[in-house]
Amino acid sequence: MNILALDTCTEMCSVAMLKNGELFEQSVPTQRGHSEKILGMLDEILAQANCRLSDMDCIAFGRGPGSFTGVRVGVSVAQGIAFAANLPVVPVSTLAAVAQRAIDEHGAENIAVAMDARMQEVYSALYQSVEGLAELSGEERVCLPEHIQLNTEQPFFAAGTGWKEYETSMTTMFSRQVNAMDNELLPTAAAIAKLALKQAEKGNTLSAEQAVPVYLRDNVAKKKGEQ
Amino acid sequence: MRVLGIESSCDETGVAVYDTEKGLLAHRLFSQIAMHAEYGGVVPELASRDHIRKTLPLIEEVLADTALTTKDIDAIAYTAGPGLAGALLVGAAIGRSLAWALDIPALAINHMEGHLLSPLLEEPAPEFPFVSLLVSGGHTLLVDVKGVGQYELLGESIDDAVGEAFDKTAKLLGMDYPGGPYLAAKAEQGIADRFVFPRPMTNRPGLDFSFSGLKTFAMNTWLDTEQTDQDKADIALAFQTAVVETLAIKCKRALKRTGHKRLVVAGGVSANKALRNKLDAMKGVEVFYPRQAFCSDNGAMIAFAGAMRHQAMKHQDVPSFTVRPRWPLNELSPP
Ligand SMILES: Nc1ncnc2c1ncn2[C@@H]1O[C@H](COP(=O)(O)OP(=O)(O)O)[C@@H](O)[C@H]1O
Ligand SMILES: [Mg+2]
């Protein structure tokens, strides 16, 4: 199984390829330059792995949450490539990708992911390592840091930039449960590829036009009556 | 050669295929107007969210209409500006990535150039050179057009665009968004010359426009009436007449200054019948318009502009895309 993965949802621009189990990856921190970088990075990763687009079995992408524009750039690129190359897609949560990195890089078992969502809010979700893969328990949410509900009594690994942005309020709130923390972790395409592999093997793929963003924040404007 | 065009600069998703031998093969449009009307105007974030749901399905429809596959497409043209950044990025990302994956050229098209060239999709098409009057929701421009990419700006609005003035005036008369077409329809029941509005900036030389004063004038006139339906129609007519005459006066001046004998009118407001009647009545000038469906935003004009540019282009295709929310026409150069 060959998977080409990409993510532009956060201040990381990231591509990866899983070529029959062998991982190739490249990530660069970037605030706004994703659109200028992403296709060139995909060219490079294909060259590195000595593969062509037609050798791929599917395209995996970070489907959000993240910066609205960033999420759309990644989803649009995945749509365009998958449609042109007639490949299925696998959407992967950016929060799950952060949890996956905590598992891979820190051996975490229970992971509470919090990602900065701007407007004083955080995106959050709770994950468990099941056979080394991040599995969601409960649901993904966007809310004020003080309203986070993790629905667990267990100690957990705190992962993601939300734990840095709102460090004092959040670590105080969960001081009895946070047993370790990495508040620099951002989603990467490598983690996305890994999570996508399992889905692709199970046949959980979508067609290109079914690739849609998950923003979590959906009340973005007021209708005339509410203004 | 066949070019697939993608337009997503504002509140319309448009896709089309233009063939340099056979002409326009197919075009599809999805308008978000009904969605934005609930908010009283375009909400940029919602516009972007809708473009990403509609673009691929429209591409599929256009390909089905023409019985073509992506393999039959030779280049992709997408709107790269001016417009709403987030909305532009969706079309740009999908278009550029399609081209990347298909290994064909991608063309970043200026939306205003799309409008400007849109009358060339019709028979008979105007020959260069000509004066172009671009009148849309966001722009009011007079341009000296010597060829593709050879644009000299003659004049523009120093405040509201014509379409914007139509919409704002319509709104204060209680019409839904975007009110331009409603105001034009209401004007048909109006009694001529009951109210007379100023013709801004016509009594001094120059080719610039100013329309924001008309909206204020309309407001004051409206407040002085009993606000009956007839008052509304009369004000609509007086407003429209003032706009149309102002545009006609400036067009005449622009033609005189350039010496051109052809006038090309495009953009959403070029659908306006009173404007067309007035300009058609000008002596010694041939006037060209896009068909009604291509007055406002559409994919056909982007596919066409892409084809015009691609034919003459030496490619240095960098695998990246950027959009320019502001991108003046006179910064373009010939292909
Ligand atoms: N018949 C008409 N009379 C006057 N204005 C019109 C008419 N039809 C459309 N418009 C105006 O055209 C504008 C939309 O044109 P469009 O080219 O789509 O603009 P933009 O791309 O700048 O939003 C709106 O302001 C609308 O009110
Ligand atoms: Mg337009």
Side-chain angles (χ1 to χ4, degrees):
Chain A
M1 175 86 69
N2 297 331
I3 298 180
L4 186 63
L6 62 101
D7 180 56
T8 61
C9 295
T10 66
E11 53 272 26
M12 189 72 103
C13 186
S14 182
V15 301
M17 187 193 298
L18 261 182
K19 183 188 180 187
N20 293 321
E22 192 184 352
L23 178 71
F24 300 83
E25 62 171 307
Q26 196 183 338
S27 296
V28 254
T30 177
Q31 288 299 327
R32 301 180 141 262
H34 304 84
S35 70
E36 282 156 63
K37 293 198 173 74
I38 188 75
L39 291 173
M41 288 172 67
L42 288 169
D43 271 331
E44 283 167 27
I45 213 85
L46 283 166
Q48 242 179 58
N50 197 15
C51 276
R52 298 196 324 192
L53 198 51
S54 53
D55 301 325
M56 295 301 112
D57 295 294
C58 68
I59 306 291
F61 64 97
R63 51 71 160 159
S67 106
F68 296 162
T69 298
V71 171
R72 276 190 294 269
V73 165
V75 175
S76 301
V77 169
Q79 283 188 356
I81 295 175
F83 185 74
N86 206 4
L87 289 171
V89 298
V90 181
V92 174
S93 159
T94 48
L95 299 177
V98 170
Q100 188 60 43
R101 287 193 63 190
I103 295 169
D104 294 344
E105 295 167 37
H106 301 287
E109 290 288 332
N110 285 319
I111 309 104
V113 179
M115 225 161 73
D116 182 17
R118 312 272 163 84
M119 304 169 78
Q120 278 81 55
E121 293 190 313
V122 285
Y123 302 118
S124 65
L126 188 69
Y127 292 86
Q128 257 152 22
S129 172
V130 179
E131 291 168 14
L133 289 179
E135 202 164 273
L136 179 68
S137 19
E139 56 176 18
E140 302 180 329
R141 296 181 64 211
V142 60
C143 61
L144 295 168
E146 53 267 34
H147 294 165
I148 287 191
Q149 290 170 2
L150 291 170
N151 296 327
T152 177
E153 302 299 315
Q154 307 287 315
F156 58 72
F157 186 99
T161 53
W163 291 99
K164 182 182 200 159
E165 192 65 28
Y166 305 102
E167 185 160 6
T168 28
S169 58
M170 285 173 52
T171 43
T172 320
M173 245 167 85
F174 295 103
S175 60
R176 287 184 306 114
Q177 284 173 281
V178 177
N179 60 11
M181 177 155 79
D182 184 341
N183 57 22
E184 308 260 316
L185 286 180
L186 287 169
T188 58
I192 284 166
K194 198 164 179 181
L195 288 163
L197 177 64
K198 177 82 176 291
Q199 298 303 320
E201 281 171 349
K202 285 199 280 189
N204 288 340
T205 62
L206 301 173
S207 63
E209 75 279 2
Q210 291 172 306
V212 290
V214 172
Y215 302 102
L216 293 188
R217 186 182 281 139
D218 287 321
N219 54 337
V220 291
K222 287 198 169 77
K223 296 200 174 169
K224 272 199 285 195
E226 311 159 344
Q227 283 169 3
Chain B
M1 191 197 59
R2 297 185 200 94
V3 180
L4 177 82
I6 302 172
E7 154 66 29
S8 72
S9 66
C10 188
D11 57 350
E12 239 105 45
T13 322
V15 175
V17 179
Y18 182 82
D19 184 317
T20 46
E21 258 119 66
K22 297 185 189 144
L24 189 66
L25 297 184
H27 64 95
R28 291 273 185 159
L29 187 80
F30 180 83
S31 173
Q32 307 174 352
I33 283 181
M35 172 179 78
H36 295 295
E38 291 187 47
Y39 298 86
V42 175
V43 182
E45 176 59 23
L46 294 182
S48 307
R49 289 186 178 200
D50 209 54
H51 286 303
I52 202 167
R53 289 192 291 261
K54 297 292 168 13
T55 307
L56 273 195
L58 289 176
I59 292 175
E60 282 182 320
E61 285 176 22
V62 160
L63 291 175
D65 290 345
T66 52
L68 296 174
T69 73
T70 49
K71 306 277 176 296
D72 303 309
I73 302 296
D74 301 295
I76 310 259
Y78 59 85
T79 306
L84 302 170
L88 288 165
L89 262 176
V90 172
I94 293 176
R96 186 67 193 87
S97 305
L98 274 173
W100 178 83
L102 294 167
D103 205 12
I104 57 176
L107 300 118
I109 299 299
N110 180 298
H111 177 85
M112 296 314 290
E113 177 173 57
H115 277 305
L116 190 150
L117 296 176
S118 63
L120 275 71
L121 278 164
E122 308 304 333
E123 293 282 347
E127 281 172 31
F128 298 112
F130 52 75
V131 167
S132 174
L133 172 69
L134 290 176
V135 277
S136 71
H139 296 268
T140 311
L141 304 174
L142 270 170
V143 190
D144 179 354
V145 181
K146 299 208 171 68
V148 175
Q150 293 173 271
Y151 311 129
E152 191 195 327
L153 188 64
L154 298 169
E156 63 188 322
S157 176
I158 59 169
D159 43 52
D160 291 355
V162 193
E164 190 181 0
F166 263 98
D167 295 342
K168 285 179 175 171
T169 304
K171 188 172 183 175
L172 70 87
L173 295 176
M175 298 170 190
D176 272 347
Y177 174 87
Y182 301 114
L183 189 144
K186 198 85 217 159
E188 287 182 20
Q189 301 148 28
I191 299 164
D193 300 328
R194 181 175 153 214
F195 301 110
V196 179
F197 280 39
R199 275 66 171 146
M201 296 181 76
T202 50
N203 55 7
R204 53 183 135 143
L207 294 168
D208 284 340
F209 305 93
S210 163
F211 291 110
S212 73
L214 282 180
K215 154 196 78 194
T216 318
F217 200 93
M219 174 61 109
N220 293 336
T221 311
W222 178 235
L223 292 177
D224 274 349
T225 65
E226 287 176 3
Q227 308 193 351
T228 64
D229 206 47
Q230 189 60 47
D231 293 332
K232 196 183 274 191
D234 295 346
I235 289 172
L237 179 60
F239 169 85
Q240 176 174 269
T241 308
V243 170
V244 163
E245 288 195 359
T246 304
L247 291 172
I249 290 167
K250 301 277 166 149
C251 285
K252 253 182 228 159
R253 274 187 208 169
L255 288 160
K256 195 169 168 202
R257 187 194 289 184
T258 56
H260 300 333
K261 297 273 173 278
R262 285 175 289 268
L263 175 67
V264 165
V265 191
V269 183
S270 68
N272 186 280
K273 282 200 211 105
L275 178 64
R276 289 190 177 208
N277 291 339
K278 183 82 190 172
L279 296 177
D280 286 341
M282 287 193 311
K283 300 262 180 327
V285 186
E286 270 183 289
V287 193
F288 299 83
Y289 310 90
R291 74 191 75 166
Q292 287 281 334
F294 296 162
C295 286
S296 52
D297 297 348
N298 63 87
M301 68 186 195
I302 303 304
F304 179 72
M308 293 294 99
R309 286 192 161 267
H310 181 55
Q311 277 181 318
M313 191 125 142
K314 345 140 202 44
H315 276 288
Q316 28 95 355
D317 246 4
V318 192
S320 72
F321 49 96
T322 43
V323 297
R324 292 187 58 178
R326 294 169 184 280
W327 186 7
L329 262 182
N330 49 352
E331 286 183 20
L332 298 187
S333 49

